[in-house]
Amino acid sequence: MNKLSAHQGRFIVFEGGEGAGKSTQVKALVAKLRAQGLEVVQTREPGGSPGAEALRDLLVRGDATRWSPMSELLMMYAARADHLEKVIRPALERGAWVVCDRFADSSRAYQGAGGGVAPAFIEQVDEAVVGHTQPDLVLVLDMPVEAGLRRAHSRGDAENRFESKGVVFHERLRAGFLKRAAQAPDRYRVIDADREIETISADIWSHVHGAFADLRGV
Ligand code: TMP
């Protein structure tokens, strides 16, 4: 799979709606890859570098109407540019594995499919900021919106700006993730996230193992 990527390392991204259990699964995959003796950089968006984490605070806290989808999009990509420059590209260039909790497909889903920013504009910004640094594999953790929102609300933290945007918004972005995954089945895997944690992580490991020939040799 990696023959076509523009980098030395491997770039794996987790995507999905609210409460799909991404952070638990990111941790489990990172532990398994490290157990193979690989250098793995675990990171997240929005955030992942000091500058991008500062922008994260502005983006994920406060009232749902604090920013328009267009303002969000530009701030997400400002954070992404810094994250790519400071963390992701240096790691991939030295041959490390990067496992990222959310990346550009969250902008396509939340600001595009959910928020109504024109897809053609998002692709223009993406080309300028992300360019060839595209993920090798995207794991979309999918589950029914209401169940995911219930789980996310039960966390009760202050990072709930997007959670409060309503069910219709979340249904649109779920459909956005699934459509994107269906368009590029070689790089995307849709994982049923409405199952036991262990079942999901075993499923993810088999997809990752199957996708990267170099893992089968270690
Ligand atoms: P998290 O709760 O998974 O850490 O993500 C923070 C929130 O940011 C989540 O509600 C999704 C949202 N988000 C976007 O709207 N667009 C983006 O590009 C990214 C990376 C996240």
Side-chain angles (χ1 to χ4, degrees), residues 2 5-11 89 91-97 136 214:
N2 202 51
S5 31
H7 42 255
Q8 294 290 311
R10 308 285 180 272
F11 187 13
R89 288 195 185 110
L92 293 173
E93 277 158 21
R94 65 176 187 267
W97 290 61
D136 298 300
D214 40 351

Side-chain angles (χ1 to χ4, degrees), residues 5-146:
S5 31
H7 42 255
Q8 294 290 311
R10 308 285 180 272
F11 187 13
I12 301 175
V13 169
F14 281 75
E15 294 282 8
E18 306 296 321
K22 283 183 292 84
S23 45
T24 305
Q25 295 302 335
V26 164
K27 269 187 234 145
L29 177 62
V30 166
K32 284 181 189 165
L33 291 169
R34 286 188 179 144
Q36 307 282 338
L38 299 165
E39 185 199 349
V40 185
V41 174
Q42 179 186 335
T43 188
R44 69 168 181 181
E45 289 207 346
S49 61
E53 289 289 334
L55 286 168
R56 178 188 176 94
D57 273 347
L58 293 172
L59 279 159
V60 300
R61 290 166 189 267
D63 195 78
T65 57
R66 181 179 188 186
W67 309 108
S68 70
M70 178 58 90
S71 298
E72 286 168 11
L73 181 88
L74 296 171
M75 288 166 72
M76 291 290 177
Y77 271 95
R80 186 161 298 131
D82 192 66
H83 187 208
L84 280 159
E85 287 161 20
K86 310 263 172 57
V87 176
I88 297 177
R89 288 195 185 110
L92 293 173
E93 277 158 21
R94 65 176 187 267
W97 290 61
V98 173
V99 178
C100 193
D101 187 339
R102 297 194 184 278
F103 192 62
D105 287 330
S106 280
S107 299
R108 294 184 175 99
Y110 280 76
Q111 283 68 52
V117 177
F121 177 71
I122 299 179
E123 293 318 315
Q124 272 183 309
V125 178
D126 195 81
E127 200 179 326
V129 173
V130 180
H132 294 299
T133 317
Q134 298 292 335
D136 298 300
L137 182 66
V138 181
L139 300 156
V140 177
L141 269 53
D142 181 61
M143 71 183 294
V145 164
E146 306 249 12

